[in-house]
Amino acid sequence: MKPSTDSHLARDHSPDTRVLQARGVALTALGVLLISPDALLLRLADVADGPLVFWRGLLTAIGFALILLLTQRGGPGQRFASALARMRGCGRTGLWVALLFTGSTLGFVLANQYTRAGNVLIILAASPLFAALMSRLWLGERQPRHVWGAILVSLAGITLLVMDEAGSGSLTGNLLALGCSLSLAGNFTLCRTRPGLDMSPMLTLSGLMTALCGLLACTWLAVSGVGVGEGVGEGVGEGVGEGAAEVLESVLTQLWPSHSADFARRAGWLVLLCLVLSPLGFTLIQRGPLYLPSAEVALLMLLESVFGILWVWWVLDESLTLRGWVGGAMVLGAMLIKSLIDRRLRHLQAMRASSADASASGN
């Protein structure tokens, strides 16, 4: 998003601008609604870690690639060349963006395997605050006092969430969710070093990286189970060859277990999420800031956590503990107050700008 977008929208209160802002609200809200069942559909898929990461990455890569190609002009060859040119235009920064987005995807997917979906969504909601902290540390950007207050309250709330039922294994999931939030924050901060450059084409590469991680995990489990390379002496080559075939068969079985009669149905949830909802949702959210100030977008993004928790509670009857509710209220409350203050400050800035313009025109 270009730095001038917020100031332009803040100063202009014409009917055309209000229409554009309404369009931005509609696009962002619809995008958030589309991605809100993310945690629920991952639970309904009920797939092991390695295959889940593989299919999530591959299907998401296909979805983003299709959107990238469809948004280009010309014939198939021209569209493909234009898409590659956009990816190359992201440069080294784009590669780091892809790596960080891969880290956030791995954290989100695996966190939902080991802890409550509500914990994951709430910790993830704090990523803009972590981004503000990183911007101060690495970019030297000064942050208002209300941002620092929101960061401190959110960190306290996240501490409650991370320590929630630590003894039952949920600590691992909460820490993975925290890693996901930090990766997203790093991604936001990195994108600010290249203002005006659209990094969304790198999401396709990130999906392929995620799929590779899942494939390597399945291969490691297969090798551990088969024990390739344990034979010595005569017939080692034949033993290794048979072992490699067993590893390949094991990997394919993990990715598509033919013995599981309902796997195709469960895989359908992944197809719906990764090939349809996520690419469309993130594409709409990506376009929202073109018409809407960043403070408004951050406020609307809080709805993802709220809707996500409601989806899981409604369908799976999964709720937070008392400590989780307290921590979640601290995080979401801090984000809500911070976003409302940002909105108020933007409105005051617009009023001052309008007064200054009126005074200048009167003179």
Side-chain angles (χ1 to χ4, degrees):
M1 184 178 61
K2 295 182 180 180
S4 60
T5 304
D6 282 9
S7 59
H8 171 72
L9 291 173
R11 289 192 300 267
D12 193 348
H13 293 273
S14 65
D16 289 342
T17 298
R18 287 195 293 269
V19 170
L20 292 177
Q21 290 179 338
R23 181 182 300 175
V25 170
L27 290 174
T28 306
L30 180 58
V32 168
L33 186 61
L34 287 174
I35 66 173
S36 64
D38 198 337
L40 170 65
L41 294 180
L42 288 177
R43 292 294 179 86
L44 291 177
D46 192 23
V47 180
D49 295 353
L52 179 60
V53 170
F54 173 81
W55 288 115
R56 168 77 179 224
L58 181 62
L59 293 174
T60 302
I62 293 173
F64 279 120
L66 288 175
I67 291 177
L68 179 60
L69 290 173
L70 290 174
T71 53
Q72 309 306 309
R73 295 181 178 179
Q78 291 176 316
R79 290 174 182 265
F80 186 75
S82 178
L84 288 180
R86 288 188 61 187
M87 294 181 70
R88 286 195 299 267
C90 295
R92 291 184 179 179
T93 303
L95 292 177
W96 282 107
V97 166
L99 284 171
L100 286 170
F101 197 81
T102 299
S104 65
T105 301
L106 293 174
F108 181 81
V109 170
L110 296 176
N112 276 284
Q113 298 282 84
Y114 295 101
T115 192
R116 292 182 178 86
N119 289 24
V120 178
L121 292 168
I122 290 170
I123 294 174
L124 189 60
S127 58
L129 298 179
F130 291 137
L133 180 60
M134 291 179 182
S135 296
R136 173 57 179 165
L137 294 176
W138 294 332
L139 303 181
E141 294 182 350
R142 298 179 63 86
Q143 302 296 340
R145 280 179 293 183
H146 72 277
V147 174
W148 290 112
I151 289 173
L152 292 176
V153 174
S154 294
L155 287 177
I158 289 173
T159 300
L160 288 177
L161 285 170
V162 169
M163 299 308 297
D164 183 35
E165 291 190 340
S168 64
S170 114
L171 177 60
T172 300
N174 289 329
L175 291 176
L176 285 168
L178 183 59
C180 170
S181 187
L182 290 172
S183 295
L184 271 182
N187 197 343
F188 295 154
T189 305
L190 191 60
C191 288
R192 287 183 62 82
T193 64
R194 300 289 300 274
L197 181 61
D198 182 13
M199 292 289 181
S200 61
M202 302 308 294
L203 298 180
T204 300
L205 178 60
S206 174
L208 295 176
M209 290 179 176
T210 303
L212 178 60
C213 291
L215 183 61
L216 291 176
C218 292
T219 304
W220 180 80
L221 288 176
V223 171
S224 300
V226 173
V228 176
E230 293 180 356
V232 292
E234 189 174 340
V236 169
E238 181 179 350
V240 171
E242 294 178 355
E246 292 180 22
V247 167
L248 178 59
E249 181 180 359
S250 175
V251 170
L252 294 177
T253 301
Q254 290 180 68
L255 295 178
W256 193 273
S258 56
H259 63 276
S260 179
D262 65 335
F263 181 76
R265 177 184 60 80
R266 290 187 284 116
W269 295 120
L270 288 180
V271 172
L272 174 63
L273 170 64
C274 304
L275 200 58
V276 181
L277 296 182
S278 287
L280 287 177
F282 280 114
T283 299
L284 292 174
I285 292 171
Q286 182 76 18
R287 294 190 60 81
L290 297 177
Y291 310 102
L292 200 65
S294 56
E296 306 280 346
V297 174
L299 188 61
L300 288 170
M301 287 299 294
L302 289 178
L303 295 176
E304 179 191 1
S305 298
V306 176
F307 285 139
I309 293 173
L310 291 177
W311 279 117
V312 175
W313 170 74
W314 182 37
V315 178
L316 302 180
D317 197 25
E318 178 184 300
S319 184
L320 301 174
T321 64
L322 177 60
R323 182 187 295 179
W325 281 116
V326 173
M330 292 174 67
V331 174
L332 293 180
M335 284 294 300
L336 176 62
I337 294 173
K338 182 257 182 192
S339 298
L340 290 175
I341 292 176
D342 286 341
R343 184 180 184 182
R344 176 62 178 169
L345 291 175
R346 184 180 64 83
H347 178 70
L348 291 175
Q349 181 184 6
M351 295 293 291
R352 294 192 190 100
S354 298
S355 300
D357 291 344
S359 300
S361 61
N363 293 334

